[in-house]
Amino acid sequence: MHTALLQRAIDICLQKKIRFTAIRQRVFLLVLDQEGAISAYDLLEKLKEHDSSAKPPTIYRALDFLLEHHFIHRIESLNAYLKCEHFGCEHPMQLLICEKCKRVIELSDPVIDNAFSDQALQSGFKITNKVLEAHGICHNCLYN
């Protein structure tokens, strides 16, 4: 499955004429391997298994690239990163984060996004970065 997703990412980069270096690809695959969110530090430790010379700037440059091109999401409240279910294009995003198991559910509801943006405009507020995150308890944790 990761092979197909990696190829899709490579194709997107070729279309956009942007460099998808080996390090960026490796970090992308490391994020894909995660069931949930992962910190930059944990990603760096995993990257070091493949490249012992990897340093914090290496991981942060790769993460910045992946974020800029919408391959992953940053979870602001957890200071962590998450694979994007609809990667490669900009889209509305809302995250539901379980406080018990740390599971993250990605929603992509344009109605929620538009309502939030409309309310901001009505308040005379110009949004420059929009991250909608809600913390609570997921269905599995609630009933187990």
Side-chain angles (χ1 to χ4, degrees):
M1 170 131 178
H2 290 340
T3 305
L5 293 174
L6 178 61
Q7 189 57 55
R8 185 171 147 216
I10 289 169
D11 292 344
I12 289 168
C13 289
L14 287 172
Q15 269 182 331
K16 293 182 176 183
K17 295 181 172 63
I18 52 178
R19 291 186 63 229
F20 197 30
T21 64
I23 292 290
R24 292 170 177 171
Q25 290 180 32
R26 173 64 61 195
V27 173
F28 178 65
L29 288 170
L30 291 172
V31 174
L32 289 180
D33 283 343
Q34 299 306 302
E35 281 302 312
I38 185 168
S39 72
Y41 177 78
D42 289 339
L43 280 169
L44 178 59
E45 291 307 307
K46 290 181 178 294
L47 182 60
K48 283 182 177 181
E49 294 172 14
H50 302 278
D51 178 2
S52 60
S53 67
K55 302 281 187 249
T58 308
I59 199 77
Y60 283 111
R61 280 193 300 267
L63 289 169
D64 286 346
F65 172 88
L66 296 170
L67 286 167
E68 179 184 348
H69 298 289
H70 310 287
F71 291 145
I72 63 172
H73 295 299
R74 184 170 191 279
I75 304 172
E76 301 288 334
S77 61
L78 300 179
N79 196 20
Y81 301 86
L82 177 73
K83 64 184 166 192
C84 176
E85 299 297 328
H86 317 80
F87 77 84
C89 64
E90 195 168 354
H91 58 276
M93 177 195 65
Q94 305 87 34
L95 300 175
L96 304 175
I97 304 162
C98 181
E99 294 173 345
K100 285 191 174 184
C101 69
K102 303 300 180 207
R103 179 175 176 224
V104 180
I105 300 167
E106 178 185 347
L107 306 177
S108 184
D109 189 327
V111 173
I112 293 170
D113 193 62
N114 291 337
F116 188 74
S117 295
D118 290 347
Q119 287 295 311
L121 279 174
Q122 289 175 21
S123 298
F125 190 83
K126 181 183 186 317
I127 296 174
T128 57
N129 181 28
K130 186 181 345 175
V131 179
L132 298 176
E133 300 177 10
H135 291 258
I137 309 298
C138 72
H139 183 268
N140 291 339
C141 291
L142 195 60
Y143 297 104
N144 286 330

